[in-house]
Amino acid sequence: MLAGTTLAVALTAIASLSFTAPAINAQEAGPTITIENTGAEPPYSFSPAQLEAKVGQPVTVTNNDPSGVHSVTATDRTFNVDVPPKSSVTFTVSKAGKYDYVCQYHTDAHNPASLNVS
Ligand SMILES: [Cu+2]
């Protein structure tokens, strides 16, 4: 009876470890903005439209559009990052705040988006 209980506890511990590992990996990947050319309306998407980051935490921008340079440009110009086609750029924000941003090259052709830094 005692041996059976010990085995059950051990199996529960292993199950917990395998369940939490993917969550830890996701955190290490850090906040990421993905830009796609969807061909819909508007044609270009920032995803997710609203993203959370910490002050000083690297924010990665991945541009999956094979043919266009896009940018992540805060409307108050706190940050302005160009992202060439099929590439990624990382930036940090040193001051907390909610920053609406646009693409400086297609100001009316992306969905509204914001980065909330705390
Ligand atoms: Cu753009």
Side-chain angles (χ1 to χ4, degrees), residues 44 69-71 103 105-106 110:
Y44 306 119
V69 178
H70 297 280
S71 79
C103 170
Y105 303 109
H106 320 94
H110 288 251

Side-chain angles (χ1 to χ4, degrees), residues 17-111:
L17 280 176
S18 60
F19 179 75
T20 54
I24 292 167
N25 289 341
Q27 276 186 333
E28 287 172 352
T32 301
I33 298 165
T34 302
I35 299 169
E36 305 272 1
N37 181 349
T38 64
E41 188 58 43
Y44 306 119
S45 68
F46 290 122
S47 179
Q50 297 182 348
L51 184 64
E52 303 283 329
K54 297 292 179 189
V55 170
Q57 181 181 26
V59 176
T60 301
V61 185
T62 298
N63 179 6
N64 286 335
D65 183 349
S67 58
V69 178
H70 297 280
S71 79
V72 169
T73 305
T75 54
D76 71 356
R77 306 297 284 191
T78 295
F79 50 83
N80 181 24
V81 183
D82 277 354
V83 193
K86 301 300 280 180
S87 60
S88 294
V89 171
T90 298
F91 69 101
T92 60
V93 181
S94 58
K95 186 165 173 263
K98 184 181 180 189
Y99 301 93
D100 292 331
Y101 66 84
V102 297
C103 170
Q104 66 179 337
Y105 303 109
H106 320 94
T107 49
D108 296 325
H110 288 251
N111 58 304

